[in-house]
Structures are given as C-alpha cells and as structure tokens.
Amino acid sequence: MDYSRNSYHPRHQKQVRKNSRTFAIIALVLFLAVGVIFYQYKKTVMATKSLDELPIEVNLISLSPYTRSGRALKKVNGIVVHYTANPGATAKENRDYFNSLATTHKTKASCHFIIGLDGEIIQCIPTREMSYASNSRNRDTISIECCHKDASGKFNRKTYRSLVLLTRALMKKFNLSSSQVIRHYDVTGKLCPLYYVKNSDKWDDFREDLNQWSFFDYLYY
C-alpha cells in the first residue's frame, strides 16, 4: 500500500508536529516583542499625568517689557502652538534670542515653552504668567514654540512626540479639551505653524492624537 499521500503516515505526522512547534515559537517571540513595545509605550506616553513627569528644563528668561512682563495669567482658556520660523535652530538658541530682547529692544516676543529638534523642552516663562506670543490671546493662553529642521516647518518625530506629551499635560493641568488647542494662525491669520496651516488635515490628526495617541503613530510617525 502507498502511504505517501496518507495524512496519517508517521513521517507526515512528524513534519506537522515540527511545523507546529516552529509556529508556536515564532508566535511566542512576536507576542513577547509586542508586549515589551506596548509596555514601553504605555510607560512613556499614556502614563504621563502631569508637567512634573516630563523632562522639562526650566531656564526662565529675564523680566523685561520686551520679553517677560511678569503679568499674571488670571485664567488659561487655551494652548497656542507656534513654529520658530528659523530652520535648524535649537531650543536653547531660540530661548537665548527671546532673552536678548531685554537688551536689544528689537521687538516684544517670548513663549512659555520651546521644544527642540531632539524633543527637549525648555520652559522660558512660568505658566502663571503671560507671554508675548499670541497677540490678543496672550492674556488667556499658554504658548508653545516648536523647532523644525527645514523651511517646510514640519516637526520631526521627536519634536512632535514631545509636543503631544507637553500639550496633554497642560490640558490636564488647566482642564482643557483638544478643541482649545489652537494655532497662532487661528488667532491672527499668520502662517504659523506653517506646516499645520498648509496641511490642515495634519492639524486635525494632531488634535486627535491629543485625545488618544495610537500605538502605530507612536512607532512610525
């Protein structure tokens, strides 16, 4: 009798068991890998509860009518996102520029936070004080400036990730919704942040990420 096509042939059964073991090992390795990645994601992204949990460098700029008035923010009704409009400059360089205005008097400008190209966050002004960033909304908003590599104004992955984390922490601190996170453009019509004015769908995606940042956005943005 020819057993070559018989599924119960001992040789066939041995191959089936071998394939099953291989599949089980591969599945286990993938399961463990996904588990480790998800744990890191949950730990570093979803577990952020307050500003205190973020690696923020507090480097306040000088009190001056041109940089930091010291006037109190009586209430925070929103968060305004900006871009620095100087491609390649670091967060520290932008912070130092704002600080220099106390001496040069070239213009009035500042912000509460600057996010750098490596995702670093520098705080320039306490959140209880006004900044000179968002025109008529200076009186009731927190301002965030973001660095960018090129003239497109698009934020890289590290900058974007820190922006999401910082904005979410500020939303929690001041009991704000994602609809209260706006662009400088929404205040004055200025093309700032440029990439998110020219690509309004990406801005919509960002505000969605504030509510529930997806696992794959975290990995591949």
PDB file of all heavy atoms in Angstrom, residues 29-67:
ATOM      1  N   VAL A  29       7.547  34.544  20.377  1.00  0.00           N
ATOM      2  CA  VAL A  29       8.531  35.630  20.265  1.00  0.00           C
ATOM      3  C   VAL A  29       7.839  36.931  19.858  1.00  0.00           C
ATOM      4  O   VAL A  29       8.116  38.002  20.421  1.00  0.00           O
ATOM      5  CB  VAL A  29       9.621  35.261  19.240  1.00  0.00           C
ATOM      6  CG1 VAL A  29      10.494  36.477  18.928  1.00  0.00           C
ATOM      7  CG2 VAL A  29      10.485  34.117  19.770  1.00  0.00           C
ATOM      8  N   LEU A  30       6.932  36.859  18.873  1.00  0.00           N
ATOM      9  CA  LEU A  30       6.216  38.059  18.436  1.00  0.00           C
ATOM     10  C   LEU A  30       5.349  38.623  19.549  1.00  0.00           C
ATOM     11  O   LEU A  30       5.279  39.841  19.754  1.00  0.00           O
ATOM     12  CB  LEU A  30       5.345  37.731  17.213  1.00  0.00           C
ATOM     13  CG  LEU A  30       6.087  37.472  15.916  1.00  0.00           C
ATOM     14  CD1 LEU A  30       5.121  37.016  14.827  1.00  0.00           C
ATOM     15  CD2 LEU A  30       6.831  38.722  15.451  1.00  0.00           C
ATOM     16  N   PHE A  31       4.700  37.736  20.295  1.00  0.00           N
ATOM     17  CA  PHE A  31       3.848  38.164  21.407  1.00  0.00           C
ATOM     18  C   PHE A  31       4.660  38.898  22.464  1.00  0.00           C
ATOM     19  O   PHE A  31       4.265  39.968  22.957  1.00  0.00           O
ATOM     20  CB  PHE A  31       3.147  36.957  22.026  1.00  0.00           C
ATOM     21  CG  PHE A  31       2.303  37.289  23.214  1.00  0.00           C
ATOM     22  CD1 PHE A  31       1.026  37.790  23.057  1.00  0.00           C
ATOM     23  CD2 PHE A  31       2.796  37.102  24.509  1.00  0.00           C
ATOM     24  CE1 PHE A  31       0.244  38.102  24.158  1.00  0.00           C
ATOM     25  CE2 PHE A  31       2.029  37.420  25.611  1.00  0.00           C
ATOM     26  CZ  PHE A  31       0.752  37.917  25.436  1.00  0.00           C
ATOM     27  N   LEU A  32       5.831  38.338  22.798  1.00  0.00           N
ATOM     28  CA  LEU A  32       6.691  38.974  23.798  1.00  0.00           C
ATOM     29  C   LEU A  32       7.215  40.315  23.303  1.00  0.00           C
ATOM     30  O   LEU A  32       7.284  41.280  24.067  1.00  0.00           O
ATOM     31  CB  LEU A  32       7.851  38.043  24.151  1.00  0.00           C
ATOM     32  CG  LEU A  32       7.478  36.767  24.917  1.00  0.00           C
ATOM     33  CD1 LEU A  32       8.701  35.869  25.072  1.00  0.00           C
ATOM     34  CD2 LEU A  32       6.895  37.104  26.283  1.00  0.00           C
ATOM     35  N   ALA A  33       7.583  40.377  22.020  1.00  0.00           N
ATOM     36  CA  ALA A  33       8.105  41.626  21.458  1.00  0.00           C
ATOM     37  C   ALA A  33       7.043  42.723  21.487  1.00  0.00           C
ATOM     38  O   ALA A  33       7.313  43.862  21.877  1.00  0.00           O
ATOM     39  CB  ALA A  33       8.592  41.397  20.030  1.00  0.00           C
ATOM     40  N   VAL A  34       5.830  42.374  21.082  1.00  0.00           N
ATOM     41  CA  VAL A  34       4.736  43.349  21.106  1.00  0.00           C
ATOM     42  C   VAL A  34       4.441  43.781  22.533  1.00  0.00           C
ATOM     43  O   VAL A  34       4.192  44.954  22.813  1.00  0.00           O
ATOM     44  CB  VAL A  34       3.472  42.758  20.445  1.00  0.00           C
ATOM     45  CG1 VAL A  34       2.263  43.650  20.696  1.00  0.00           C
ATOM     46  CG2 VAL A  34       3.697  42.579  18.955  1.00  0.00           C
ATOM     47  N   GLY A  35       4.511  42.824  23.467  1.00  0.00           N
ATOM     48  CA  GLY A  35       4.275  43.148  24.866  1.00  0.00           C
ATOM     49  C   GLY A  35       5.274  44.149  25.417  1.00  0.00           C
ATOM     50  O   GLY A  35       4.918  45.098  26.115  1.00  0.00           O
ATOM     51  N   VAL A  36       6.547  43.947  25.079  1.00  0.00           N
ATOM     52  CA  VAL A  36       7.603  44.854  25.546  1.00  0.00           C
ATOM     53  C   VAL A  36       7.406  46.245  24.949  1.00  0.00           C
ATOM     54  O   VAL A  36       7.514  47.256  25.652  1.00  0.00           O
ATOM     55  CB  VAL A  36       8.994  44.301  25.175  1.00  0.00           C
ATOM     56  CG1 VAL A  36      10.067  45.357  25.406  1.00  0.00           C
ATOM     57  CG2 VAL A  36       9.302  43.051  25.989  1.00  0.00           C
ATOM     58  N   ILE A  37       7.120  46.313  23.655  1.00  0.00           N
ATOM     59  CA  ILE A  37       6.921  47.603  22.983  1.00  0.00           C
ATOM     60  C   ILE A  37       5.710  48.322  23.569  1.00  0.00           C
ATOM     61  O   ILE A  37       5.751  49.521  23.852  1.00  0.00           O
ATOM     62  CB  ILE A  37       6.750  47.407  21.466  1.00  0.00           C
ATOM     63  CG1 ILE A  37       8.054  46.896  20.854  1.00  0.00           C
ATOM     64  CG2 ILE A  37       6.330  48.709  20.794  1.00  0.00           C
ATOM     65  CD1 ILE A  37       7.926  46.471  19.408  1.00  0.00           C
ATOM     66  N   PHE A  38       4.615  47.585  23.775  1.00  0.00           N
ATOM     67  CA  PHE A  38       3.413  48.210  24.327  1.00  0.00           C
ATOM     68  C   PHE A  38       3.648  48.694  25.752  1.00  0.00           C
ATOM     69  O   PHE A  38       3.178  49.772  26.141  1.00  0.00           O
ATOM     70  CB  PHE A  38       2.245  47.225  24.308  1.00  0.00           C
ATOM     71  CG  PHE A  38       0.974  47.819  24.838  1.00  0.00           C
ATOM     72  CD1 PHE A  38       0.234  48.692  24.054  1.00  0.00           C
ATOM     73  CD2 PHE A  38       0.535  47.538  26.118  1.00  0.00           C
ATOM     74  CE1 PHE A  38      -0.926  49.267  24.532  1.00  0.00           C
ATOM     75  CE2 PHE A  38      -0.625  48.102  26.598  1.00  0.00           C
ATOM     76  CZ  PHE A  38      -1.367  48.960  25.809  1.00  0.00           C
ATOM     77  N   TYR A  39       4.410  47.930  26.541  1.00  0.00           N
ATOM     78  CA  TYR A  39       4.717  48.355  27.906  1.00  0.00           C
ATOM     79  C   TYR A  39       5.492  49.660  27.899  1.00  0.00           C
ATOM     80  O   TYR A  39       5.217  50.581  28.669  1.00  0.00           O
ATOM     81  CB  TYR A  39       5.531  47.282  28.620  1.00  0.00           C
ATOM     82  CG  TYR A  39       6.064  47.729  29.961  1.00  0.00           C
ATOM     83  CD1 TYR A  39       5.256  47.753  31.069  1.00  0.00           C
ATOM     84  CD2 TYR A  39       7.389  48.152  30.097  1.00  0.00           C
ATOM     85  CE1 TYR A  39       5.731  48.190  32.302  1.00  0.00           C
ATOM     86  CE2 TYR A  39       7.878  48.585  31.316  1.00  0.00           C
ATOM     87  CZ  TYR A  39       7.044  48.591  32.412  1.00  0.00           C
ATOM     88  OH  TYR A  39       7.518  49.032  33.621  1.00  0.00           O
ATOM     89  N   GLN A  40       6.481  49.766  26.991  1.00  0.00           N
ATOM     90  CA  GLN A  40       7.264  50.999  26.899  1.00  0.00           C
ATOM     91  C   GLN A  40       6.397  52.158  26.453  1.00  0.00           C
ATOM     92  O   GLN A  40       6.507  53.280  26.953  1.00  0.00           O
ATOM     93  CB  GLN A  40       8.431  50.793  25.940  1.00  0.00           C
ATOM     94  CG  GLN A  40       9.432  51.938  25.922  1.00  0.00           C
ATOM     95  CD  GLN A  40      10.143  52.097  27.260  1.00  0.00           C
ATOM     96  OE1 GLN A  40      10.255  51.145  28.029  1.00  0.00           O
ATOM     97  NE2 GLN A  40      10.596  53.313  27.538  1.00  0.00           N
ATOM     98  N   TYR A  41       5.515  51.880  25.483  1.00  0.00           N
ATOM     99  CA  TYR A  41       4.579  52.903  25.008  1.00  0.00           C
ATOM    100  C   TYR A  41       3.706  53.405  26.138  1.00  0.00           C
ATOM    101  O   TYR A  41       3.556  54.618  26.358  1.00  0.00           O
ATOM    102  CB  TYR A  41       3.732  52.293  23.896  1.00  0.00           C
ATOM    103  CG  TYR A  41       2.418  52.994  23.630  1.00  0.00           C
ATOM    104  CD1 TYR A  41       2.388  54.215  22.976  1.00  0.00           C
ATOM    105  CD2 TYR A  41       1.224  52.413  24.023  1.00  0.00           C
ATOM    106  CE1 TYR A  41       1.181  54.850  22.727  1.00  0.00           C
ATOM    107  CE2 TYR A  41       0.018  53.028  23.770  1.00  0.00           C
ATOM    108  CZ  TYR A  41       0.000  54.248  23.124  1.00  0.00           C
ATOM    109  OH  TYR A  41      -1.182  54.878  22.878  1.00  0.00           O
ATOM    110  N   LYS A  42       3.127  52.487  26.887  1.00  0.00           N
ATOM    111  CA  LYS A  42       2.243  52.874  27.983  1.00  0.00           C
ATOM    112  C   LYS A  42       3.002  53.645  29.051  1.00  0.00           C
ATOM    113  O   LYS A  42       2.514  54.625  29.605  1.00  0.00           O
ATOM    114  CB  LYS A  42       1.603  51.620  28.598  1.00  0.00           C
ATOM    115  CG  LYS A  42       0.582  51.932  29.687  1.00  0.00           C
ATOM    116  CD  LYS A  42      -0.074  50.651  30.171  1.00  0.00           C
ATOM    117  CE  LYS A  42      -1.091  50.963  31.265  1.00  0.00           C
ATOM    118  NZ  LYS A  42      -1.736  49.736  31.773  1.00  0.00           N
ATOM    119  N   LYS A  43       4.224  53.224  29.314  1.00  0.00           N
ATOM    120  CA  LYS A  43       5.041  53.852  30.348  1.00  0.00           C
ATOM    121  C   LYS A  43       5.437  55.268  29.972  1.00  0.00           C
ATOM    122  O   LYS A  43       5.378  56.182  30.800  1.00  0.00           O
ATOM    123  CB  LYS A  43       6.299  53.009  30.581  1.00  0.00           C
ATOM    124  CG  LYS A  43       7.251  53.584  31.626  1.00  0.00           C
ATOM    125  CD  LYS A  43       8.466  52.685  31.767  1.00  0.00           C
ATOM    126  CE  LYS A  43       9.474  53.274  32.742  1.00  0.00           C
ATOM    127  NZ  LYS A  43      10.696  52.438  32.842  1.00  0.00           N
ATOM    128  N   THR A  44       5.841  55.477  28.709  1.00  0.00           N
ATOM    129  CA  THR A  44       6.400  56.768  28.322  1.00  0.00           C
ATOM    130  C   THR A  44       5.379  57.733  27.741  1.00  0.00           C
ATOM    131  O   THR A  44       5.619  58.937  27.730  1.00  0.00           O
ATOM    132  CB  THR A  44       7.515  56.591  27.275  1.00  0.00           C
ATOM    133  OG1 THR A  44       6.975  55.949  26.118  1.00  0.00           O
ATOM    134  CG2 THR A  44       8.642  55.751  27.828  1.00  0.00           C
ATOM    135  N   VAL A  45       4.246  57.229  27.265  1.00  0.00           N
ATOM    136  CA  VAL A  45       3.265  58.104  26.640  1.00  0.00           C
ATOM    137  C   VAL A  45       1.986  58.207  27.463  1.00  0.00           C
ATOM    138  O   VAL A  45       1.665  59.257  28.006  1.00  0.00           O
ATOM    139  CB  VAL A  45       2.938  57.630  25.208  1.00  0.00           C
ATOM    140  CG1 VAL A  45       1.907  58.548  24.569  1.00  0.00           C
ATOM    141  CG2 VAL A  45       4.194  57.600  24.374  1.00  0.00           C
ATOM    142  N   MET A  46       1.283  57.118  27.569  1.00  0.00           N
ATOM    143  CA  MET A  46      -0.022  57.164  28.207  1.00  0.00           C
ATOM    144  C   MET A  46       0.057  57.404  29.713  1.00  0.00           C
ATOM    145  O   MET A  46      -0.889  57.865  30.327  1.00  0.00           O
ATOM    146  CB  MET A  46      -0.787  55.862  27.924  1.00  0.00           C
ATOM    147  CG  MET A  46      -1.033  55.616  26.451  1.00  0.00           C
ATOM    148  SD  MET A  46      -1.811  56.990  25.575  1.00  0.00           S
ATOM    149  CE  MET A  46      -3.426  56.987  26.341  1.00  0.00           C
ATOM    150  N   ALA A  47       1.207  57.097  30.325  1.00  0.00           N
ATOM    151  CA  ALA A  47       1.325  57.257  31.774  1.00  0.00           C
ATOM    152  C   ALA A  47       1.630  58.693  32.195  1.00  0.00           C
ATOM    153  O   ALA A  47       1.653  58.999  33.373  1.00  0.00           O
ATOM    154  CB  ALA A  47       2.416  56.338  32.325  1.00  0.00           C
ATOM    155  N   THR A  48       1.871  59.578  31.234  1.00  0.00           N
ATOM    156  CA  THR A  48       2.170  60.958  31.576  1.00  0.00           C
ATOM    157  C   THR A  48       0.931  61.607  32.174  1.00  0.00           C
ATOM    158  O   THR A  48      -0.097  61.714  31.530  1.00  0.00           O
ATOM    159  CB  THR A  48       2.617  61.747  30.336  1.00  0.00           C
ATOM    160  OG1 THR A  48       3.782  61.141  29.817  1.00  0.00           O
ATOM    161  CG2 THR A  48       2.914  63.186  30.687  1.00  0.00           C
ATOM    162  N   LYS A  49       1.052  62.065  33.418  1.00  0.00           N
ATOM    163  CA  LYS A  49      -0.090  62.630  34.117  1.00  0.00           C
ATOM    164  C   LYS A  49       0.058  64.115  34.422  1.00  0.00           C
ATOM    165  O   LYS A  49      -0.927  64.812  34.591  1.00  0.00           O
ATOM    166  CB  LYS A  49      -0.327  61.859  35.419  1.00  0.00           C
ATOM    167  CG  LYS A  49      -0.667  60.394  35.206  1.00  0.00           C
ATOM    168  CD  LYS A  49      -0.843  59.681  36.529  1.00  0.00           C
ATOM    169  CE  LYS A  49      -1.160  58.204  36.323  1.00  0.00           C
ATOM    170  NZ  LYS A  49      -1.310  57.488  37.611  1.00  0.00           N
ATOM    171  N   SER A  50       1.272  64.607  34.531  1.00  0.00           N
ATOM    172  CA  SER A  50       1.463  65.998  34.913  1.00  0.00           C
ATOM    173  C   SER A  50       2.748  66.547  34.316  1.00  0.00           C
ATOM    174  O   SER A  50       3.595  65.809  33.825  1.00  0.00           O
ATOM    175  CB  SER A  50       1.519  66.116  36.437  1.00  0.00           C
ATOM    176  OG  SER A  50       2.731  65.570  36.923  1.00  0.00           O
ATOM    177  N   LEU A  51       2.882  67.870  34.386  1.00  0.00           N
ATOM    178  CA  LEU A  51       4.100  68.513  33.900  1.00  0.00           C
ATOM    179  C   LEU A  51       5.320  68.029  34.661  1.00  0.00           C
ATOM    180  O   LEU A  51       6.421  67.966  34.115  1.00  0.00           O
ATOM    181  CB  LEU A  51       3.971  70.036  34.049  1.00  0.00           C
ATOM    182  CG  LEU A  51       2.970  70.731  33.128  1.00  0.00           C
ATOM    183  CD1 LEU A  51       2.877  72.209  33.484  1.00  0.00           C
ATOM    184  CD2 LEU A  51       3.353  70.566  31.670  1.00  0.00           C
ATOM    185  N   ASP A  52       5.151  67.701  35.927  1.00  0.00           N
ATOM    186  CA  ASP A  52       6.267  67.258  36.760  1.00  0.00           C
ATOM    187  C   ASP A  52       6.892  65.972  36.249  1.00  0.00           C
ATOM    188  O   ASP A  52       8.045  65.664  36.566  1.00  0.00           O
ATOM    189  CB  ASP A  52       5.815  67.065  38.213  1.00  0.00           C
ATOM    190  CG  ASP A  52       5.389  68.375  38.856  1.00  0.00           C
ATOM    191  OD1 ASP A  52       5.855  69.432  38.398  1.00  0.00           O
ATOM    192  OD2 ASP A  52       4.590  68.335  39.806  1.00  0.00           O
ATOM    193  N   GLU A  53       6.143  65.195  35.477  1.00  0.00           N
ATOM    194  CA  GLU A  53       6.639  63.917  34.980  1.00  0.00           C
ATOM    195  C   GLU A  53       7.401  64.060  33.656  1.00  0.00           C
ATOM    196  O   GLU A  53       7.958  63.084  33.168  1.00  0.00           O
ATOM    197  CB  GLU A  53       5.484  62.935  34.804  1.00  0.00           C
ATOM    198  CG  GLU A  53       4.834  62.534  36.124  1.00  0.00           C
ATOM    199  CD  GLU A  53       3.651  61.612  35.928  1.00  0.00           C
ATOM    200  OE1 GLU A  53       2.798  61.926  35.077  1.00  0.00           O
ATOM    201  OE2 GLU A  53       3.578  60.597  36.624  1.00  0.00           O
ATOM    202  N   LEU A  54       7.396  65.258  33.088  1.00  0.00           N
ATOM    203  CA  LEU A  54       8.103  65.484  31.835  1.00  0.00           C
ATOM    204  C   LEU A  54       9.500  66.032  32.095  1.00  0.00           C
ATOM    205  O   LEU A  54       9.700  66.796  33.042  1.00  0.00           O
ATOM    206  CB  LEU A  54       7.325  66.473  30.963  1.00  0.00           C
ATOM    207  CG  LEU A  54       5.962  66.017  30.455  1.00  0.00           C
ATOM    208  CD1 LEU A  54       5.310  67.128  29.648  1.00  0.00           C
ATOM    209  CD2 LEU A  54       6.066  64.765  29.618  1.00  0.00           C
ATOM    210  N   PRO A  55      10.467  65.684  31.240  1.00  0.00           N
ATOM    211  CA  PRO A  55      11.844  66.183  31.405  1.00  0.00           C
ATOM    212  C   PRO A  55      11.970  67.617  30.898  1.00  0.00           C
ATOM    213  O   PRO A  55      12.502  67.874  29.819  1.00  0.00           O
ATOM    214  CB  PRO A  55      12.661  65.200  30.565  1.00  0.00           C
ATOM    215  CG  PRO A  55      11.717  64.778  29.481  1.00  0.00           C
ATOM    216  CD  PRO A  55      10.351  64.728  30.126  1.00  0.00           C
ATOM    217  N   ILE A  56      11.460  68.555  31.669  1.00  0.00           N
ATOM    218  CA  ILE A  56      11.458  69.969  31.286  1.00  0.00           C
ATOM    219  C   ILE A  56      12.633  70.685  31.945  1.00  0.00           C
ATOM    220  O   ILE A  56      12.821  70.607  33.157  1.00  0.00           O
ATOM    221  CB  ILE A  56      10.138  70.645  31.690  1.00  0.00           C
ATOM    222  CG1 ILE A  56       8.963  70.004  30.930  1.00  0.00           C
ATOM    223  CG2 ILE A  56      10.187  72.146  31.428  1.00  0.00           C
ATOM    224  CD1 ILE A  56       7.597  70.478  31.386  1.00  0.00           C
ATOM    225  N   GLU A  57      13.409  71.389  31.127  1.00  0.00           N
ATOM    226  CA  GLU A  57      14.490  72.226  31.656  1.00  0.00           C
ATOM    227  C   GLU A  57      13.935  73.628  31.897  1.00  0.00           C
ATOM    228  O   GLU A  57      13.519  74.314  30.963  1.00  0.00           O
ATOM    229  CB  GLU A  57      15.651  72.314  30.659  1.00  0.00           C
ATOM    230  CG  GLU A  57      16.764  73.251  31.111  1.00  0.00           C
ATOM    231  CD  GLU A  57      17.791  73.525  30.030  1.00  0.00           C
ATOM    232  OE1 GLU A  57      17.793  72.788  29.021  1.00  0.00           O
ATOM    233  OE2 GLU A  57      18.582  74.477  30.193  1.00  0.00           O
ATOM    234  N   VAL A  58      13.897  74.040  33.132  1.00  0.00           N
ATOM    235  CA  VAL A  58      13.404  75.377  33.458  1.00  0.00           C
ATOM    236  C   VAL A  58      14.570  76.357  33.342  1.00  0.00           C
ATOM    237  O   VAL A  58      15.529  76.298  34.109  1.00  0.00           O
ATOM    238  CB  VAL A  58      12.799  75.426  34.880  1.00  0.00           C
ATOM    239  CG1 VAL A  58      12.327  76.838  35.207  1.00  0.00           C
ATOM    240  CG2 VAL A  58      11.649  74.429  34.998  1.00  0.00           C
ATOM    241  N   ASN A  59      14.480  77.245  32.354  1.00  0.00           N
ATOM    242  CA  ASN A  59      15.526  78.242  32.093  1.00  0.00           C
ATOM    243  C   ASN A  59      14.822  79.559  31.775  1.00  0.00           C
ATOM    244  O   ASN A  59      14.701  79.963  30.619  1.00  0.00           O
ATOM    245  CB  ASN A  59      16.423  77.790  30.941  1.00  0.00           C
ATOM    246  CG  ASN A  59      17.675  78.627  30.810  1.00  0.00           C
ATOM    247  OD1 ASN A  59      17.858  79.612  31.534  1.00  0.00           O
ATOM    248  ND2 ASN A  59      18.542  78.264  29.884  1.00  0.00           N
ATOM    249  N   LEU A  60      14.319  80.207  32.817  1.00  0.00           N
ATOM    250  CA  LEU A  60      13.453  81.362  32.653  1.00  0.00           C
ATOM    251  C   LEU A  60      14.197  82.551  32.059  1.00  0.00           C
ATOM    252  O   LEU A  60      15.367  82.796  32.375  1.00  0.00           O
ATOM    253  CB  LEU A  60      12.847  81.761  34.002  1.00  0.00           C
ATOM    254  CG  LEU A  60      12.024  80.680  34.720  1.00  0.00           C
ATOM    255  CD1 LEU A  60      11.458  81.234  36.017  1.00  0.00           C
ATOM    256  CD2 LEU A  60      10.912  80.134  33.833  1.00  0.00           C
ATOM    257  N   ILE A  61      13.510  83.274  31.179  1.00  0.00           N
ATOM    258  CA  ILE A  61      14.093  84.471  30.600  1.00  0.00           C
ATOM    259  C   ILE A  61      13.919  85.641  31.563  1.00  0.00           C
ATOM    260  O   ILE A  61      13.114  85.589  32.494  1.00  0.00           O
ATOM    261  CB  ILE A  61      13.478  84.785  29.221  1.00  0.00           C
ATOM    262  CG1 ILE A  61      11.960  84.951  29.320  1.00  0.00           C
ATOM    263  CG2 ILE A  61      13.825  83.694  28.233  1.00  0.00           C
ATOM    264  CD1 ILE A  61      11.289  85.273  28.007  1.00  0.00           C
ATOM    265  N   SER A  62      14.662  86.710  31.312  1.00  0.00           N
ATOM    266  CA  SER A  62      14.690  87.851  32.220  1.00  0.00           C
ATOM    267  C   SER A  62      13.376  88.632  32.193  1.00  0.00           C
ATOM    268  O   SER A  62      12.718  88.738  31.148  1.00  0.00           O
ATOM    269  CB  SER A  62      15.830  88.794  31.840  1.00  0.00           C
ATOM    270  OG  SER A  62      17.072  88.125  31.847  1.00  0.00           O
ATOM    271  N   LEU A  63      13.018  89.194  33.326  1.00  0.00           N
ATOM    272  CA  LEU A  63      11.881  90.095  33.388  1.00  0.00           C
ATOM    273  C   LEU A  63      12.201  91.364  32.604  1.00  0.00           C
ATOM    274  O   LEU A  63      13.252  91.975  32.795  1.00  0.00           O
ATOM    275  CB  LEU A  63      11.559  90.439  34.839  1.00  0.00           C
ATOM    276  CG  LEU A  63      10.862  89.340  35.651  1.00  0.00           C
ATOM    277  CD1 LEU A  63      10.917  89.660  37.129  1.00  0.00           C
ATOM    278  CD2 LEU A  63       9.411  89.174  35.192  1.00  0.00           C
ATOM    279  N   SER A  64      11.307  91.729  31.698  1.00  0.00           N
ATOM    280  CA  SER A  64      11.533  92.891  30.837  1.00  0.00           C
ATOM    281  C   SER A  64      10.238  93.211  30.103  1.00  0.00           C
ATOM    282  O   SER A  64       9.471  92.304  29.786  1.00  0.00           O
ATOM    283  CB  SER A  64      12.637  92.596  29.825  1.00  0.00           C
ATOM    284  OG  SER A  64      12.577  93.470  28.724  1.00  0.00           O
ATOM    285  N   PRO A  65       9.991  94.483  29.793  1.00  0.00           N
ATOM    286  CA  PRO A  65       8.813  94.829  28.995  1.00  0.00           C
ATOM    287  C   PRO A  65       8.841  94.220  27.594  1.00  0.00           C
ATOM    288  O   PRO A  65       7.808  94.180  26.918  1.00  0.00           O
ATOM    289  CB  PRO A  65       8.883  96.369  28.916  1.00  0.00           C
ATOM    290  CG  PRO A  65       9.714  96.784  30.077  1.00  0.00           C
ATOM    291  CD  PRO A  65      10.718  95.671  30.253  1.00  0.00           C
ATOM    292  N   TYR A  66      10.002  93.730  27.152  1.00  0.00           N
ATOM    293  CA  TYR A  66      10.139  93.176  25.805  1.00  0.00           C
ATOM    294  C   TYR A  66      10.101  91.645  25.779  1.00  0.00           C
ATOM    295  O   TYR A  66      10.032  91.059  24.694  1.00  0.00           O
ATOM    296  CB  TYR A  66      11.446  93.659  25.166  1.00  0.00           C
ATOM    297  CG  TYR A  66      11.425  95.133  24.853  1.00  0.00           C
ATOM    298  CD1 TYR A  66      11.778  96.068  25.820  1.00  0.00           C
ATOM    299  CD2 TYR A  66      11.027  95.594  23.608  1.00  0.00           C
ATOM    300  CE1 TYR A  66      11.744  97.433  25.542  1.00  0.00           C
ATOM    301  CE2 TYR A  66      10.984  96.955  23.315  1.00  0.00           C
ATOM    302  CZ  TYR A  66      11.338  97.859  24.296  1.00  0.00           C
ATOM    303  OH  TYR A  66      11.287  99.212  24.022  1.00  0.00           O
ATOM    304  N   THR A  67      10.182  91.012  26.931  1.00  0.00           N
ATOM    305  CA  THR A  67      10.281  89.553  26.950  1.00  0.00           C
ATOM    306  C   THR A  67       9.310  88.897  27.927  1.00  0.00           C
ATOM    307  O   THR A  67       8.553  88.012  27.565  1.00  0.00           O
ATOM    308  CB  THR A  67      11.704  89.121  27.342  1.00  0.00           C
ATOM    309  OG1 THR A  67      12.032  89.722  28.606  1.00  0.00           O
ATOM    310  CG2 THR A  67      12.723  89.557  26.304  1.00  0.00           C
TER     311      THR A  67
END
